[in-house]
Amino acid sequence: MRSRRTEIGTLRCLGWSGGEVLRLVLAERALIGLAAGAVGTVLAYVLGQPEAGAKSLLVLPVALLLATAAGLIPAWLATRLGPMEAVRPPVTAVRRAHPVHSVAGLAMLNLLRVRGRTLPGAAGLALGVAAFTVLLALALAFRGEVAGSLLGSAVVAQAREADYLSVALSLLLGAAGAIDVLVISQRERAADLAVLRATGWTNRELAKLTLYEGIGLALLGGLSGAGAGLAGVLTLGRGVLHGHLFPVAGAALLATLAATALVVAALTVPIRGLSRIAPAHLLAAD
C-alpha cells in the first residue's frame, strides 16, 4: 500500500470512495488467498499421509481467511488517505539526527527508519528459523525420537520427510519475505541512492550498503527465531535434554546461518540493479 499511494490517490481524485478502496484491497487479498490456498491444498495432499485425503481441502478456507485478515489494516489505512495526501510522496517526520561514520552504520539506520516494515520481515524469517531449529534439534540431539517426554506428547514421535520439506519451504518463504522488504525499501530510496552516487559513492559501496542491510535483517530474524526455537526445546524437552545441549545450540546456530546465507545469496539480483541507477534522471524526476 505504501508503494501504491499515488494509484490510490488517483482513484480517490476520480471519485472512488473509501469503501470502494477498501473492497478493492480486500478483493485483491482474497484472490491471493484463493491462489495460495489452491497451491497449498495440492502440496498438503502430496506431502501428507495417504489418510489425509479430504482434510487437505481445509487449507483453502484457512488461506483465504489469513490473506483477508492480513489485508485489513493496510486496507483501512488506505481508506484514510485523502486524495491529495495520497498523491504526495510519503515524508518521514524529522527526528533527532544521529551521526553515521560507516557503511554498516548507515545500513542499520536504514533498517531502523522503517521499523514497521523491518519487524514483519524479520518475523516471517524468525518463524521459519524457529521451526528449522526445533526440527534440527530433534534430528541431531534426539535422532528424531522424542517419545517418553513432554516434547514427545506435543509433536510427532518421529520426524518424517514431509516435516523436513515443510520446514524448508517455511524457511524459503521467510527468506523471500525478507528479500521483498529489502527490495521495496531500495526502490523507495532510489533518489537517496542517486544522491550518494552523485556525491562520489561507488557501486561497491552501494552494494555493501544493501548487503549489510540484508545481513542485519537476516540476523535479526534468524537469531530471534533460533532463540525461540531453542527456548521451546529447552522448555518442552527438559527431561531428555541432558547431554544434548551443545547439539541443540549447534542446530540453532546452523538455522541462523542458513537463513542469513539464503538472504545474502538472493540479494545478488537487487545488488546488480544498483549499477543501473542514473543519478541525473532520478534526481530530476524527484
Side-chain angles (χ1 to χ4, degrees), residues 120-161:
L125 189 59
L127 290 175
V129 172
F132 193 29
T133 301
V134 172
L135 194 61
L136 281 178
L138 298 180
L140 296 177
F142 312 125
R143 295 182 179 86
E145 298 289 343
V146 290
S149 66
L150 180 59
L151 185 60
S153 302
V155 298
V156 182
Q158 184 171 352
R160 301 185 302 269
E161 293 182 0

Side-chain angles (χ1 to χ4, degrees), residues 240-260:
V240 292
L241 191 60
H242 180 69
H244 299 298
L245 180 60
F246 287 107
V248 172
L253 178 60
L254 182 59
T256 302
L257 293 177
T260 305

Side-chain angles (χ1 to χ4, degrees), residues 4 6 15 21 59 66 68 72 79-80 85 103 141 154 216 227 230 246 250-251 260 284 286:
R4 295 173 60 190
T6 301
V21 172
V59 175
L66 287 176
T68 305
L72 287 176
T79 63
R80 295 181 63 84
E85 179 186 1
V103 178
L230 186 59
F246 287 107
T260 305
D286 191 60

Side-chain angles (χ1 to χ4, degrees), residues 246-273:
F246 287 107
V248 172
L253 178 60
L254 182 59
T256 302
L257 293 177
T260 305
L262 282 173
V263 173
V264 170
L267 276 177
T268 56
V269 176
I271 285 177
R272 289 179 181 176

Side-chain angles (χ1 to χ4, degrees), residues 153-221:
S153 302
V155 298
V156 182
Q158 184 171 352
R160 301 185 302 269
E161 293 182 0
D163 300 321
Y164 291 98
L165 183 57
S166 298
V167 169
L169 288 174
S170 177
L171 188 60
L172 287 173
L173 288 174
I179 292 296
D180 187 55
V181 167
L182 295 170
V183 170
I184 292 177
S185 178
Q186 181 176 300
R187 289 177 179 174
E188 288 189 351
R189 292 186 293 112
D192 297 343
L193 297 176
V195 170
L196 293 177
R197 171 69 63 78
T199 54
W201 280 50
T202 63
N203 287 339
R204 181 184 180 89
E205 289 170 325
L206 291 178
K208 287 173 61 177
L209 177 64
T210 302
L211 185 64
Y212 288 156
E213 290 181 12
I215 293 175
L217 183 61
L219 288 178
L220 175 61

